[in-house]
Amino acid sequence: MSGARLVRDQGVTAPGGFRAVGVAAGIKASGAADMALVFNEGPDLTAAGVVTRNQVKAAPVLWTQQVLTTGRLRAVVLNSGGANACTGPPGFADAHATAEAVADALSQWGTETGAVEVAVCSTGLIGDRLPMPQVLAGVTHLVQEMAGGLVGGEDAARAIMTTDTVPKQVALHHSPESGRNWTVGAMAKGAGMLAPSLATMLCVITTDAVADAAALHRALTAAAAATFDRLDVDGCCSTNDTVLLLASGASEIAPDQDELDAAVLAVCDDLCAQLQADAEGVTKRVTVAVTGADSDAEALFTARLIARDNLVKTALFGSDPNWGRVLAAVGMAPFPIDPDRVTVSFNGSTVFAAGLPDPGARSVDLSGADVEVRVDLARGTGTAAIRTTDLSHGYVDENSAYSS
Amino acid sequence: MSGARLVRDQGVTAPGGFRAVGVAAGIKASGAADMALVFNEGPDLTAAGVVTRNQVKAAPVLWTQQVLTTGRLRAVVLNSGGANACTGPPGFADAHATAEAVADALSQWGTETGAVEVAVCSTGLIGDRLPMPQVLAGVTHLVQEMAGGLVGGEDAARAIMTTDTVPKQVALHHSPESGRNWTVGAMAKGAGMLAPSLATMLCVITTDAVADAAALHRALTAAAAATFDRLDVDGCCSTNDTVLLLASGASEIAPDQDELDAAVLAVCDDLCAQLQADAEGVTKRVTVAVTGADSDAEALFTARLIARDNLVKTALFGSDPNWGRVLAAVGMAPFPIDPDRVTVSFNGSTVFAAGLPDPGARSVDLSGADVEVRVDLARGTGTAAIRTTDLSHGYVDENSAYSS
């Protein structure tokens, strides 16, 4: 993408037409920031979204799916400190009431808004009702702060963190020197249940490009399939994953679909790298690349088998080039594999080929933080790659003491 | 099974007609016992077996699959300290040479034996050739010890241990008071890759019943499907899993098929409990039971989803009744689930039902070593259960420092 510049010190407020803010509403017992608002000043209010494939969907996901059917969003309200999942009809009423409160506050501030224009995202422990007095007071606080002129993209990114250790945001300034200056910005959280279909991942992407909802939908679904969908930390899939893309049209520039696709993809790809690097307990950033499959789908399936194999993941935590575990994972594919034609390499060094290990296979150095596992199946031309992490003591610690 | 008595201080030599022995052949650097022989004195030599479903099969598995086609085995030679997997044609030649050496030694001792009557089982690190001078000297040693009259069932069980902390064996004496006295004995190893299709599990079952190979095959496949196949520690499936059943006919009693099925099932079920209790790093013995599925197959699929979920497993390590993770795992089923009709309980206490958590859900006591997770899908009458374990620091330790 020539002429495009990616920067990580900006996020959802980098594109024209957006404000954002984060506050501590008292949902988290720690007193840390726990609510955020992203507001689209327009002139356009087009939007698209993708949500978790999990059949157990949190109340805010059910709400957001409904409002997304209009292809139009004025604002996104987000909270950490509670997932509002598995909370039944009362939980759905809470999500609805939150959207209503945002719409009311924005309307009082002077921007006539309906609840149907407000998406809601939540993250945190499954199964508890949100403390609605705090949430509703938080909404008032958010809109007051925003009305005061705050453009707090990073504050918003911080307010949605759970076990994340750093906020994640990025902006792509598209061809600023060409005179066609338009921008995509984004923020995300997610450090644990990064999974086949997204993560406990909340992500809001903004752009000042002119684009209708269909164009946004195409760009977002393609980007998510190539990025978030191929980040797989533990194979677990959250009840709350939501990725939203909002366009303000403030740049008055309408990129063609390919330009829009490329820009959204670049932003999502960078966020994925940030999410992977901050995954729970991660000590290794691992890429599993599979080539030579009958199809890209079979390559992807094989890459996931390897990326989810706890014996592979623990070996990588120990910097152990235990390639036999990679082969054993490949051998569980539901389509034919010829072990004698499979090639396995670690960080570019072939460790197994033509049915035999390389003499130096046990001494490949995996002590660095980045590991590439590459497998060629010698069957066809299908390829795919998955980003994953090792399985560490830190992962066990963070996940064995979460709700208590 | 009235009239049957299960004892754990006996194993493969409990039935008449069997000898077994274990020795230290020097395959393991530690000097620990690492080779075992189970010998069938007859009069019958019928046999059946099941092996790993992994497409990457170790050389001894490929060898054993071939010799099992005859339905007849005189002996099984087993080694720990090396899997002889992913070792190519030279590795297969090593397995073959080991069987030939056993056949020669037994023939010299006076029991005319062909290599085709000798199954070979190996366990240990994937990818290294076995030290054949030690293996072949070990074969000579094994037959010498056995010729000396040793009936060392427990020695054999010890010699096949890898990360196991205790040997596993059991014997079922069938109706000894009825006069129809016949016995099934068994030994097994496996503490790590316990998986959908067996484990890095080697298991030899012996009986002095009179039974043809077809009857043994039926009893063994049914028992394995109900026991080893439903023990799933980490979803990983070994290249070496092998379960063999040998009958000597020495009791001169021919049980009917149902009796044989029940006896083999009881022995396999007890071994499974022993394997689960000694799994790598285990601190909890977990049973995941699913009821109310459309079919038993769907119930089994759902139980595996839960049993393999790292977030569920780490929560259980922390004695955390984090039922939301169970629901999130269920929500990834590839068939329709209605979250509002799902019921989840821990140790008999309902934690989620009718779309809402139970008020006491967070305080269910999971501090004990045994945990039952029960999920009802309210769709049909299908049921299934999986045995699994928690995901602990011990698991990470043992598996991050295995080959190095």
Side-chain angles (χ1 to χ4, degrees), chain B residues 63 66-70 72-73 99-100 103 113-119:
Chain B
W63 171 262
Q66 287 190 11
V67 302
L68 276 171
T69 58
T70 65
R72 174 184 168 89
L73 284 180
E100 290 281 4
T113 306
V116 72
E117 296 173 304
V118 181

Side-chain angles (χ1 to χ4, degrees), chain A residues 53-56 86-88 90 125-128 193 196-197 234 236-237 239 309-311 314-315 317-318 320 322-325 327-328 331-333 335-337 339 352 355-357 362 391-393 395-397 399-400 402-404, chain B residues 53-56 86-88 90 125-128 193 196-197 234 236-237 239 309-311 314-315 317-318 320 322-325 327-328 331-333 335-337 339 352 355-357 362 391-393 395-397 399-400 402-404:
Chain A
R53 281 200 294 261
N54 201 311
Q55 295 184 73
V56 179
C86 304
T87 46
L125 185 62
I126 298 172
D128 290 331
M193 294 165 80
S197 25
D234 53 19
C236 304
C237 185
T239 52
D309 189 291
N310 280 355
L311 291 169
T314 46
F317 172 58
D320 178 1
N322 197 330
W323 53 269
R325 292 180 177 176
L327 270 175
M332 292 309 288
F335 39 81
I337 298 286
F352 181 86
L356 288 170
R362 297 268 180 245
L391 174 53
S392 67
H393 285 301
Y395 179 89
V396 174
D397 276 336
N399 287 299
S400 59
Y402 184 72
S403 76
S404 50
Chain B
R53 280 200 294 261
N54 200 311
Q55 295 184 74
V56 179
C86 304
T87 46
L125 183 63
I126 297 173
D128 291 330
M193 294 164 82
S197 26
D234 53 18
C236 303
C237 183
T239 51
D309 190 292
N310 280 354
L311 292 168
T314 45
F317 171 58
D320 178 1
N322 197 329
W323 53 268
R325 294 181 177 177
L327 269 176
M332 291 308 289
F335 38 82
I337 298 287
F352 181 85
L356 288 170
R362 298 267 180 244
L391 175 54
S392 68
H393 285 300
Y395 179 90
V396 174
D397 276 336
N399 287 299
S400 59
Y402 183 71
S403 75
S404 50

Side-chain angles (χ1 to χ4, degrees), chain A residues 117-150:
Chain A
E117 296 173 303
V118 181
V120 181
C121 301
S122 299
T123 178
L125 185 62
I126 298 172
D128 290 331
R129 296 278 301 279
L130 290 173
M132 287 307 289
Q134 283 83 346
V135 169
L136 297 177
V139 167
T140 305
H141 190 186
L142 284 167
V143 175
Q144 282 171 344
E145 290 285 322
M146 195 184 66
L150 196 66

Side-chain angles (χ1 to χ4, degrees), chain A residues 219-243:
Chain A
L220 184 61
T221 51
T227 58
F228 302 124
D229 209 24
R230 297 193 176 191
L231 175 63
D232 192 334
V233 166
D234 53 19
C236 304
C237 185
S238 159
T239 52
N240 287 61
D241 302 333
T242 306
V243 180

Side-chain angles (χ1 to χ4, degrees), chain A residues 230 290 293-303 381-385:
Chain A
R230 297 193 176 191
V290 174
D294 270 346
S295 65
D296 287 355
E298 288 194 0
L300 185 61
F301 193 98
T302 308
T381 58
T383 65

